[in-house]
Amino acid sequence: MSTSPPIGKPSFDLALQAALQAAGPQHYPAGALYVVATPIGNLADITLRALHVLALADAIACEDTRHTAPLLRAYGLDGKPLIALHEHNEAEAAQGVIARLQAGQRVACVSDAGTPAVSDPGARLAAAC
């Protein structure tokens, strides 16, 4: 008896359930910015905590909405507001994110791959927060 998933589109339903069980009991304050690492090349390289935070977030600030939307769709987390946050608008977009945080929303910040850091959009946002 095989327990392998069928070949085709991967389903992350079990991973989302595991993420809720593993990370759900932790405290995730409202009105907070969450910096979330995304996979570099392989969808399976996401952590359970990252999945949980992306599911919990009210909005997602991202380097390129055209890249992040399919990523979230693959995990079954599409439909959340995406906030474009890139090198050409980061200062202005940061103010919009801060307004959401002040309103009590949880905002996840992602880059196209890896962890938002000094060389990626997100550094100004983190500093502003």
Side-chain angles (χ1 to χ4, degrees):
M1 178 182 289
S2 174
T3 59
S4 299
I7 303 291
K9 185 179 179 205
S11 171
F12 286 88
D13 292 343
L14 290 176
L16 288 169
Q17 290 173 19
L20 178 62
Q21 289 176 352
Q26 299 171 13
H27 181 63
Y28 297 89
L33 177 70
Y34 295 88
V35 177
V36 179
T38 56
I40 301 173
N42 187 329
L43 289 175
D45 287 341
I46 195 154
T47 67
L48 294 177
R49 183 176 170 120
L51 281 174
H52 183 69
V53 168
L54 291 171
L56 190 64
D58 297 300
I60 299 173
C62 55
E63 185 174 359
D64 187 340
T65 59
R66 297 168 299 179
H67 181 84
T68 302
L71 179 76
L72 295 173
R73 193 169 28 259
Y75 296 130
L77 299 173
D78 49 335
K80 294 182 180 283
L82 298 179
I83 303 161
L85 179 80
H86 47 74
E87 64 181 319
H88 303 293
N89 79 342
E90 192 171 9
E92 179 182 315
Q95 294 310 308
V97 170
I98 289 171
R100 285 177 177 268
L101 298 175
Q102 289 172 335
Q105 291 188 14
R106 292 178 183 96
V107 178
C109 179
V110 300
S111 62
D112 285 350
T115 306
V118 174
S119 63
D120 292 323
R124 283 187 182 164
L125 174 60
C129 289

